[in-house]
């Protein structure tokens, strides 16, 4: 067998605070043997996701579960931290180059958990075959993949928006938030998106059909949010935390639902905030307003998987749910892409396209 | 018509921090006329409840709702604050002395929202007739009243304990906590009660059938709680907040459920805690552990009312759910009874028996 060569980006050091380019290192890789029962795959697209910051810091504090199906195998991968010297983790779109398994053939396109590298040996347990003729394969990393399924599960299980309600979504231009806000609109609710900067706000309304979009970076953001929600907030789909959390809290209606999906503003922080301890303020609000807050993990929604693929594929096909992608070119751009995602600088689902061999 | 005379306890001043005896004042009352459509009632028992501290501070921050039924009329009363000079609020067991309504007769026993006074004119909209031959009428203020229904609704709608799970209840010897813990046991879960002092802890196990009881006042409470919950905590029924909240938080299992029913430790505080802001620690725990936290209000469980009366009456009848009452004698003892409840010094459901006329 020929020797396949490529590059990999490994974790050089753990970030202190925000990640920086020198936390990463490029290494050469070469593979000349595929063991029985394994496949050699070539990554074509990397998905850049905020949780990778947590992987860089060490393991994600979520227990691992052992189940037979692919989603639960994926959950084990998602919660594993990356060790120093190890290849950065993450979902990819890949092509099978060499197969020593009966269930995959060379040339098959798959969704993999392939990490930041050109090529790798994979045991096949977390691979999902995709049909490249069925449209944009990259949607499998976004609206039709883990981010879309996350939004779908949390909206169905926690948010349950009703017609006429007001649904506020933070990081609304991202792959999870954009699906959440559009699902709110499909349910007849009013969707208010929060994003960074005027360009994303404009596109939230024109491209993704949000009713209102608000720029979190303007000085009077809090006043604008209050004005945009004259009847209060019935659902807050939380992806960010921090300042946006505190701005939303007083506007929540009684019995509001809060899917707690992400806390991007926290991922690059040291987690210590001096000053007044506002924790009991949160707890009191939950009690007095009888709020429902629930942490979101896509891996809790396994029973909805068939519904998700059927329903979301239909919505995307009919244009009821649209998506926006932001593509960086070349493996070497992945670190900066992650840094940008953590700052909210990406314009839609962040992808890295790897050079074709 | 004769003139009926009695005493009332009014709010003399708003408490700063904890309530004190001089926040209350005794006044004479006399009633010699009952308008058409109203009833004159005599209170026999007062229910002393922690939320009254919030009423003393002003209105409770919960919106009022307008519905036809008695429970929702009650909810309006519950959320109203007490003005300076106004009679202290609260549920009572009462007897109709004079009726100018078709639906009540002199001699009828009722659950009323009669406040801290011997006699009053009532419009009848929030009265519930009770059958004094059916057992201890005071149970209508506890296990068969608002506290029992609160626990019942929150256990059914939020906690949903399963066989083999661990359910921790704070203020477990109180009327809400004791029902919650016993319902957990009926569901096959392990019930761990937290209370103040060795006497209540002993009785939690011997009288109320909790599996374990822990004294929150001992220095190694946190270690004892961890030891009592070797498989973590699946449900935390929160009545207290503060130190107990922080002790429970790290022991919560993934997908634990937290009915947030009360925050007694906060009711007498000024609400400002300096130091490290731990609010995002709470939020991160909700995300990582995918916790479910929901504020509890009995008035959200109106659809369960018939279920509650049927099921709870059966449980009490069969001894599956037991209750403990703590009786103070005479109207003048009500202020100290409330002060005791807020300090966790009561031994079971706190009642005040009024002198017979």
């Amino acid at each position: 067998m020929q020797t396949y060569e490529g590059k990999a980006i490994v974790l050089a050091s753990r970030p202190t605070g925000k990640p920086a380019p020198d936390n990463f290192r490029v290494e050469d890789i070469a593979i000349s043997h595929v063991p029985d029962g394994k496949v050699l795959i070539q990554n074509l697209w990397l998905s850049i996701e905020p949780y990778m910051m947590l992987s860089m810091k060490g393991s994600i504090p979520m227990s691992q579960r052992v189940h037979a199906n692919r989603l639960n195998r994926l959950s084990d991968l998602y919660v594993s931290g990356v060790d120093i010297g190890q290849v950065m983790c993450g979902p990819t779109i890949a092509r099978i180059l060499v197969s020593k398994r009966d269930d995959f053939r060379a040339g098959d396109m798959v969704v993999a958990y392939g990490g930041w590298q050109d090529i790798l040996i994979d045991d096949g347990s977390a691979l999902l075959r995709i049909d490249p003729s069925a449209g944009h394969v990259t949607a499998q990393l976004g609206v039709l993949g883990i981010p879309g399924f996350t939004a779908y599960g949390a909206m169905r299980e926690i948010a349950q928006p009703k017609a006429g309600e007001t649904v506020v979504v933070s990081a609304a231009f991202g792959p999870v938030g954009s699906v959440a806000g559009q699902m709110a609109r499909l349910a007849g609710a009013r969707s208010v998106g929060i994003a960074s900067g005027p360009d994303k706000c404009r596109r939230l309304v024109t491209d993704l059909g949000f009713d209102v979009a608000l720029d979190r970076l303007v000085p009077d953001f809090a006043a604008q949010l209050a004005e945009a929600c004259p009847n209060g907030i019935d659902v807050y789909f939380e992806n960010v935390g921090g300042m946006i959390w505190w701005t939303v809290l007083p506007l929540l209606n009684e019995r509001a639902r809060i899917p707690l999906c992400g806390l991007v503003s926290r991922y690059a922080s040291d987690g210590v905030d001096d000053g007044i301890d506002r924790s009991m303020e949160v707890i009191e609000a939950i009690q007095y307003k009888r709020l429902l807050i629930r942490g979101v993990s896509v891996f809790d929604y396994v029973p909805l998987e068939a519904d998700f693929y059927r329903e979301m594929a239909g919505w995307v096909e009919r244009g009821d749910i649209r998506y926006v992608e932001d593509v960086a070119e070349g493996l070497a751009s992945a670190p900066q892409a992650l840094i940008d995602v953590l700052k909210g600088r990406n314009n839609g689902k962040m992808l890295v396209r790897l050079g074709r061999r």
Side-chain angles (χ1 to χ4, degrees), chain A residues 48-87:
Chain A
I48 304 295
E49 308 189 7
Y51 79 88
M52 292 168 176
M53 176 67 206
L54 297 175
S55 302
M56 291 176 72
K57 287 181 166 181
S59 67
I60 298 177
M62 220 182 255
S63 76
Q64 301 192 9
R65 282 155 320 145
V66 180
H67 289 289
N69 73 45
R70 185 188 65 91
L71 268 176
N72 281 300
R73 167 76 182 119
L74 257 190
S75 81
D76 293 345
L77 295 168
Y78 261 76
V79 301
S80 306
V82 175
D83 293 330
I84 304 288
Q86 202 182 346
V87 177

Side-chain angles (χ1 to χ4, degrees), chain A residues 169-179 193-196 199-208 210 239 323-326 344 346-350:
Chain A
V169 181
S170 58
F173 206 66
V176 177
S178 65
V179 170
I194 300 172
S196 309
D199 182 57
K200 281 191 270 191
C201 287
R202 186 181 49 75
R203 295 182 66 189
L204 272 176
V205 175
T206 58
D207 298 1
L208 299 179
F210 278 65
N239 290 308
Y323 59 98
V324 179
E325 295 177 339
D326 187 351
N346 53 312
N347 280 290
K349 169 64 196 165
M350 190 77 227

Side-chain angles (χ1 to χ4, degrees), chain A residues 8 236 246 278:
Chain A
Y236 176 48
W246 293 112
R278 303 183 70 180

Side-chain angles (χ1 to χ4, degrees), chain A residues 20-21 77 82 89 93 112 122 146 197 210 246 270 301 320 330 334 350 355:
Chain A
L77 295 168
V82 175
C89 63
I93 299 286
D122 191 282
I146 295 291
F210 278 65
W246 293 112
D270 60 8
Y301 308 134
D320 287 335
M350 190 77 227

Side-chain angles (χ1 to χ4, degrees), chain A residues 17 36 55 129 217-218 221 253 283 312 334 350:
Chain A
D36 287 341
S55 302
R129 195 193 324 272
L217 302 176
V218 299
F221 165 67
N253 288 331
I283 304 300
M312 189 64 70
M350 190 77 227

Side-chain angles (χ1 to χ4, degrees), chain A residues 21-197:
Chain A
D22 64 4
N23 294 132
F24 305 92
R25 188 176 65 233
V26 179
E27 291 190 349
D28 293 317
I29 46 176
I31 298 173
S32 54
H33 173 68
V34 181
D36 287 341
K38 311 263 183 187
V39 293
L40 170 64
I41 68 179
Q42 175 194 9
N43 287 325
L44 306 175
W45 296 87
L46 311 183
S47 175
I48 304 295
E49 308 189 7
Y51 79 88
M52 292 168 176
M53 176 67 206
L54 297 175
S55 302
M56 291 176 72
K57 287 181 166 181
S59 67
I60 298 177
M62 220 182 255
S63 76
Q64 301 192 9
R65 282 155 320 145
V66 180
H67 289 289
N69 73 45
R70 185 188 65 91
L71 268 176
N72 281 300
R73 167 76 182 119
L74 257 190
S75 81
D76 293 345
L77 295 168
Y78 261 76
V79 301
S80 306
V82 175
D83 293 330
I84 304 288
Q86 202 182 346
V87 177
M88 279 292 295
C89 63
T92 62
I93 299 286
R95 180 191 292 134
I96 309 273
L97 294 180
V98 176
S99 176
K100 298 235 179 129
R101 293 178 60 92
D102 293 337
D103 49 355
F104 292 101
R105 295 168 47 178
D108 284 353
M109 295 279 282
V110 292
V111 182
Y113 199 80
W116 294 11
Q117 54 196 335
D118 290 312
I119 51 173
L120 68 147
I121 299 291
D122 191 282
D123 70 5
S125 66
L127 297 179
L128 173 70
R129 195 193 324 272
I130 53 180
D131 176 1
S133 70
H136 299 292
V137 297
T138 50
Q140 300 291 334
L141 295 177
V143 67
L144 293 174
I146 295 291
F149 190 15
T150 301
Y152 179 87
M155 290 300 280
R156 268 193 49 170
E157 299 278 300
I158 304 171
Q160 302 180 354
K162 295 169 203 52
E165 288 192 327
T166 298
V167 175
V168 172
V169 181
S170 58
F173 206 66
V176 177
S178 65
V179 170
Q182 292 179 88
M183 282 185 68
R185 193 201 61 224
L186 290 176
R190 205 160 142 274
S191 58
V192 176
I194 300 172
S196 309

